[in-house]
Amino acid sequence: MLLNATKASTGLPGRFGARAKKNKQNKTPDLHEYIRDRDWTGAIALLEFNRQGEEFDAEQELHLGYACAHLGDYKRALDAYDRLLQYGGCGKEVHLYRGVCLYFLQQYDDAEQEALRGPPGGLQNRLLFHVAHKQNDENKLMMYHQKLTEAKEDQLALAAIHFLRSHFQESTDIYKRLLLENRDDLALNVYVAMSYYRLDY
């Protein structure tokens, strides 16, 4: 049966109607909505468009680096953080963000140097912990291991290192304990399943 083309133009209710078109035309994209929805491509497109204007500032450059890093474009994120450092007046945490990008670009020595320039804290310790693992430096690995807390992020970092070192039972135990506290976290279910798979369950 063929659909009548004239019926489509009469204006259907809901999101296909003329009202929805009018609302879309009046709404300008909002960066915070893109970030909240984890639409990294949309956020990057909006920020790149804004860069051509005069109102592009250090905060938007920081958001650009954040979105690029979450999209997995670490080189582009690193470039954004470099520009941010050129602006001046940004916090020392930008060095940590650069360190994370360098880590994922497999430049572990540079990642360590950038992490050490950043402010001490959980992110710095987790980054240095993972760098020490990649560099096969057992002394540093143990030093940063002792600084880990019971925070979820620290425990996830510890479980990841256990998994990477083929200590699957230890990683499973950590993931299961975290899963009891965070039942709605789908990623934890995946991590538990991967650990069980490696344990030959």
Side-chain angles (χ1 to χ4, degrees):
M1 172 188 252
L2 295 174
L3 296 175
N4 188 348
T6 57
K7 278 193 174 183
S9 64
T10 59
L12 298 172
R15 66 179 206 199
F16 298 110
R19 189 171 11 137
K21 263 189 189 177
K22 187 176 180 182
N23 287 341
K24 271 191 174 181
Q25 289 172 353
N26 292 339
K27 187 177 179 197
T28 58
D30 180 42
L31 175 64
H32 298 290
E33 286 179 22
Y34 284 126
I35 291 174
R36 183 195 65 225
D37 296 340
R38 294 187 173 123
D39 181 0
W40 309 122
T41 306
I44 292 168
L46 178 62
L47 289 164
E48 289 291 350
F49 178 77
N50 289 348
R51 176 186 279 174
Q52 298 169 4
E54 296 176 7
E55 297 178 13
F56 195 78
D57 59 2
E59 182 182 352
Q60 291 187 358
E61 195 75 64
L62 182 64
H63 285 302
L64 180 62
Y66 179 83
C68 289
H70 278 78
L71 191 61
D73 192 350
Y74 299 109
K75 177 68 176 114
R76 196 167 168 193
L78 193 59
D79 292 342
Y81 294 137
D82 287 341
R83 287 189 300 270
L84 193 58
L85 288 173
Q86 290 174 358
Y87 285 137
C90 58
K92 286 182 138 187
E93 64 274 354
V94 173
H95 292 288
L96 292 177
Y97 305 151
R98 290 190 80 247
V100 169
C101 293
L102 290 166
Y103 174 83
F104 283 112
L105 291 170
Q106 299 179 1
Q107 299 174 15
Y108 303 120
D109 294 334
D110 295 336
E112 181 180 23
Q113 294 304 315
E114 281 298 316
L116 291 171
R117 288 183 186 172
L123 178 59
Q124 182 193 50
N125 189 61
R126 288 188 298 274
L127 178 56
L128 291 170
F129 184 53
H130 279 274
V131 167
H133 167 72
K134 291 294 186 179
Q135 294 174 331
N136 293 320
D137 189 332
E138 291 295 319
N139 292 330
K140 286 183 181 177
L141 187 75
M142 294 312 295
M143 180 178 71
Y144 296 123
H145 178 271
Q146 291 173 357
K147 293 181 180 180
L148 292 175
T149 66
E150 290 297 316
K152 180 181 176 183
E153 294 84 1
D154 285 356
Q155 292 302 301
L156 286 171
L158 178 59
I161 294 296
H162 280 309
F163 188 89
L164 292 171
R165 295 170 69 102
S166 300
H167 302 157
F168 302 119
Q169 186 60 55
E170 290 86 348
S171 67
T172 303
D173 293 342
I174 294 170
Y175 290 139
K176 284 170 56 178
R177 182 169 36 84
L178 289 173
L179 193 56
L180 289 174
E181 301 165 5
N182 306 283
R183 291 205 179 270
D184 295 335
D185 196 331
L186 297 177
L188 285 174
N189 286 299
V190 173
Y191 299 153
V192 169
M194 288 173 55
S195 297
Y196 276 142
Y197 173 76
R198 293 300 201 128
L199 284 169
D200 294 327
Y201 266 75

